[in-house]
Amino acid sequence: MKGLKEMVTRRTVAIGPAYDGVHQSVIHDFDRRKTYSEKSSMDILDESCMAYRSTYDGRIKAVRHAFDYLRKTPLMICPQQYIYAIPTKAPTDYDCIWLFCQHIEFTSTREGKTYVHFTNGEQLEINCSESVITKQRERAAITMTHFSTIPTISSMNRNETGLHLPGFHSPHHNLDELGPQL
């Protein structure tokens, strides 16, 4: 898969802007590695959503359809793997930092600066207040709970889904029902 090093996984803890004049973003991972990319954070998030069978816009639209989160909407990158990210600012703002919920341990404020402390021991200074991050984490938790309770086709009785694939015969299908067609 192309751009694998720039794809969001369960090990991604944050994506933020790079200020080195060459790269657009920096990806922080659970092993405390930083990967610098010429792609924007938004491009990385959209490509990651597509790898998980949707798009950034589609995921945001689904969350907004379920909840009235019109600004700084939590991003459901892969609900099956519980990969959710929250923005510190408007996602279109270059300075926006995306934080990955499953890795946030706590937040703190020192000398007027806000920090996120991750489960890997890393801390990152962020560009919003603790109250904004608390609200964002609450929204993400509500979103995760909501989307984790949607039944999947595999968990439903096949007869209830009305799923019929012409020409496909399940090994569990009763062949006697097909009669003289065989």
Side-chain angles (χ1 to χ4, degrees):
M1 186 180 291
K2 66 180 180 179
L4 188 58
K5 68 179 180 167
E6 296 170 341
M7 181 164 145
V8 169
T9 69
R10 288 211 29 91
R11 300 188 65 75
T12 306
V13 299
I15 301 176
Y19 298 105
D20 64 4
V22 175
H23 301 96
Q24 289 193 54
S25 60
V26 58
I27 304 165
H28 300 256
D29 76 14
F30 189 79
D31 296 323
R32 293 181 161 205
R33 284 188 301 249
K34 294 179 183 176
T35 302
Y36 290 84
S37 176
E38 292 179 9
K39 295 179 182 176
S40 70
S41 298
M42 293 295 288
D43 286 342
I44 292 168
L45 292 168
D46 188 43
E47 289 174 13
S48 296
C49 286
M50 284 191 275
Y52 293 115
R53 312 298 187 256
S54 189
T55 62
Y56 174 91
D57 291 335
R59 295 292 194 196
I60 293 294
K61 188 175 180 179
V63 172
R64 288 179 177 166
H65 178 75
F67 304 103
D68 190 25
Y69 302 154
L70 302 180
R71 297 184 195 280
K72 292 188 265 184
T73 306
L75 179 59
M76 167 178 59
I77 297 168
C78 181
Q80 295 83 0
Q81 293 186 36
Y82 296 95
I83 303 175
Y84 288 77
I86 51 175
T88 59
K89 294 183 152 209
T92 53
D93 189 325
Y94 181 77
D95 292 329
C96 179
I97 301 169
W98 288 88
L99 305 170
F100 290 76
C101 304
Q102 71 269 27
H103 297 294
I104 299 173
E105 190 163 11
F106 65 95
T107 58
S108 66
T109 302
R110 289 190 314 274
E111 299 171 7
K113 295 180 180 179
T114 305
Y115 298 88
V116 171
H117 301 262
F118 296 103
T119 56
N120 66 355
E122 184 178 2
Q123 73 176 10
L124 182 65
E125 181 182 343
I126 57 171
N127 49 19
C128 65
S129 67
E130 263 191 277
S131 62
V132 166
I133 287 302
T134 299
K135 181 178 179 179
Q136 289 296 87
R137 291 179 73 191
E138 288 169 359
R139 287 174 156 196
I142 291 166
T143 302
M144 281 186 234
T145 301
H146 176 78
F147 285 97
S148 70
T149 58
I150 295 175
T152 62
I153 289 176
S154 62
S155 70
M156 298 169 70
N157 181 327
R158 182 171 180 228
N159 293 334
E160 291 175 3
T161 66
L163 179 63
H164 174 68
L165 302 173
F168 175 78
H169 303 292
S170 167
H172 306 291
H173 190 42
N174 183 352
L175 295 178
D176 293 335
E177 292 176 5
L178 297 177
Q181 297 172 351
L182 290 178

